[in-house]
Amino acid sequence: MAKVAIMEFDEDKRHFRFLQSLELSSIPTKGDKVVLDIDGIGYVFEVYDVHYADRERTDVNVIRRSTITNWNASGFPDISL
């Protein structure tokens, strides 16, 4: 399992801040979606960038896109066939 630190973009301060640590089966890459439960609400985050380092965990920078409920109700506008 890969240890990652999820870093969320803070729009007001214009930098990424630590959100939480996770152990995942693989390290997400740019464009991947990550769903996290925060205070009982599921949120969809998009991976913006990944920072690998010579330490125990990898920083995964994410941007919050929506709640999972709103994302699913949107009809997945990012999919165009």
Side-chain angles (χ1 to χ4, degrees), residues 9-63:
F9 187 66
D10 184 323
E11 290 185 41
D12 295 331
K13 296 181 181 176
R14 304 294 301 165
H15 71 86
F16 288 89
R17 64 178 176 82
F18 176 79
L19 186 59
Q20 69 185 83
S21 288
L22 299 172
E23 286 193 18
L24 302 173
S25 57
S26 64
I27 296 173
T29 59
K30 185 174 183 170
D32 285 349
K33 305 296 186 291
V34 177
V35 177
L36 300 175
D37 183 37
I38 301 172
D39 297 327
I41 299 172
Y43 290 94
V44 176
F45 294 86
E46 184 173 347
V47 176
Y48 173 77
D49 199 9
V50 178
H51 293 189
Y52 297 91
D54 60 350
R55 57 188 168 112
E56 193 170 304
R57 65 179 198 205
T58 300
D59 289 345
V60 177
N61 294 338
V62 297
I63 299 170

